[in-house]
């Protein structure tokens, strides 16, 4: 009987731990110079496209429908980002993880936290990106992160000085918002570009 309980408990432990990914579960590998060149060039290209397209669309929206309505419709930013990722036709995915998330899909995972902590530390001084290879059975992949900082424009929808109509829209749509009190020049998020191993290896 004791043996059975022990076996059952062992199974339970394995499953209980498997559900919570920890840093030591992530098998990260430093990049060779060739790998680094490839992932950085693709990652930067995609991230820059994301920043430019989002900014252009946001300014056009504010101009045409005003800040509050632009905020109400801004979940389309996710579609814009996904379309850019798809346009590379490499199996690319792009996200914007941040500790100050408004949309819960941007809540950081273990890998994201490592990159965000890097950008928040002195270690990242003069460094424009963070890139690694994740080695996992049948799913080796590369991740590239580029930091994004708070500028004056962002405060219109991400600060305690938002106008009342904007505040109202955001409180309705995002009851668990962590991005409504940001400070100028602070780290806002990282743009995360992920690519399967094949996308980098075949290009070399
Ligand atoms: C018109 C209002 C508005 C402005 C201006 C604005 N944002 Fe946002 N932002 C939003 C909304 C709304 C969301 C949530 C979108 C969603 O549903 O995915 C968001 C989400 C984000 C996210 C995704 C992470 C998260 O919190 O879920 C980032 C990153 C971001 N904004 C950065 C910026 C930056 C940088 C600026 C300034 C250049 C900016 N925003 C300006 C309204 C705005």
């Amino acid at each position: 009987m004791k043996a059975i309980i022990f076996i059952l408990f062992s199974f339970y432990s394995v499953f209980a731990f498997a559900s919570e990914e920890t840093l030591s579960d992530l098998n990260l590998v430093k990049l060779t110079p060739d790998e680094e060149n490839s992932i950085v060039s693709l990652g930067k290209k995609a991230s820059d496209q994301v920043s430019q397209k989002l900014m252009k669309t946001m300014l056009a929206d504010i101009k045409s429908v005003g800040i509050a309505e632009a905020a109400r419709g801004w979940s389309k930013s996710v579609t814009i980002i996904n379309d850019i990722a798809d346009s590379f036709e490499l199996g690319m995915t792009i996200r914007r993880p941040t500790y100050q998330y408004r949309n819960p899909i941007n809540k950081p995972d273990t890998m994201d936290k490592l990159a965000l902590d890097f950008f928040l530390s002195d270690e990242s001084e003069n460094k424009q990106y963070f890139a690694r290879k994740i080695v996992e059975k049948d799913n080796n992949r590369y991740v590239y992160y580029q930091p994004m900082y708070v500028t004056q424009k962002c405060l219109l929808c991400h600060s305690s000085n938002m106008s009342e109509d904007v505040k109202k829209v955001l409180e309705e749509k995002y009851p668990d918002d962590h991005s409504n009190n940001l400070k100028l020049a602070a780290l806002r998020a990282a743009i995360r570009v992920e690519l399967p191993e094949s996308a980098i290896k075949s290009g070399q």
Side-chain angles (χ1 to χ4, degrees), residues 59-195:
L59 293 178
D61 284 6
I62 291 180
K63 203 168 168 195
S64 64
V65 294
I67 303 168
E69 289 312 305
R72 194 194 299 281
W74 198 234
S75 33
K76 75 177 179 192
S77 55
V78 179
T79 316
I80 293 174
I81 291 167
N82 291 343
D83 286 350
I84 291 175
D86 291 346
S87 74
F88 281 79
E89 296 186 342
L90 288 169
M92 180 188 284
T93 57
I94 307 179
R95 284 179 53 243
R96 288 169 299 165
T98 167
Y99 286 118
Q100 291 80 30
Y101 56 91
R102 173 166 281 167
N103 182 336
I105 64 163
N106 297 315
K107 189 175 173 177
D109 66 17
T110 310
M111 182 68 223
D112 300 335
K113 285 179 186 165
L114 198 66
L116 290 168
D117 291 347
F118 171 76
F119 292 125
L120 288 167
S121 77
D122 295 341
E123 221 189 319
S124 65
E125 217 173 309
N126 302 323
K127 299 237 169 67
Q128 317 294 328
Y129 65 86
F130 180 89
R132 289 288 184 278
K133 181 174 187 179
I134 304 176
V135 175
E136 209 173 60
K137 198 170 173 288
D138 300 328
N139 187 21
N140 290 351
R141 53 208 201 271
Y142 294 88
V143 279
Y144 166 94
Y145 291 86
Q146 185 165 306
M148 189 193 263
Y149 296 91
V150 178
T151 61
Q152 199 74 44
K153 263 272 177 292
C154 319
L155 301 178
L156 290 173
C157 297
H158 289 288
S159 77
S160 51
N161 297 331
M162 287 183 281
S163 66
E164 285 308 316
D165 56 340
V166 177
K167 242 185 224 168
K168 191 159 165 281
V169 166
L170 292 174
E171 278 167 10
E172 263 170 35
K173 252 197 113 168
Y174 306 96
D176 188 27
D177 187 5
H178 299 267
S179 75
N180 56 9
N181 193 14
L182 301 182
K183 302 285 175 276
L184 195 61
L187 179 70
R188 170 64 183 108
I191 300 179
R192 169 186 171 141
V193 179
E194 182 172 320
L195 281 163

Side-chain angles (χ1 to χ4, degrees), residues 10-48:
S10 306
F11 269 112
Y12 168 77
S13 313
V14 167
F15 285 113
F17 286 115
S19 63
E20 182 71 20
E21 188 186 48
T22 66
L23 202 51
S24 57
D25 296 332
L26 269 182
N27 195 2
L28 296 182
V29 182
K30 287 248 175 188
L31 305 171
T32 65
D34 277 350
E35 287 174 319
E36 181 146 354
N37 281 339
S38 304
I39 180 70
V40 169
S41 120
L42 280 163
K44 184 168 173 8
K45 195 168 167 200
S47 304
D48 289 349

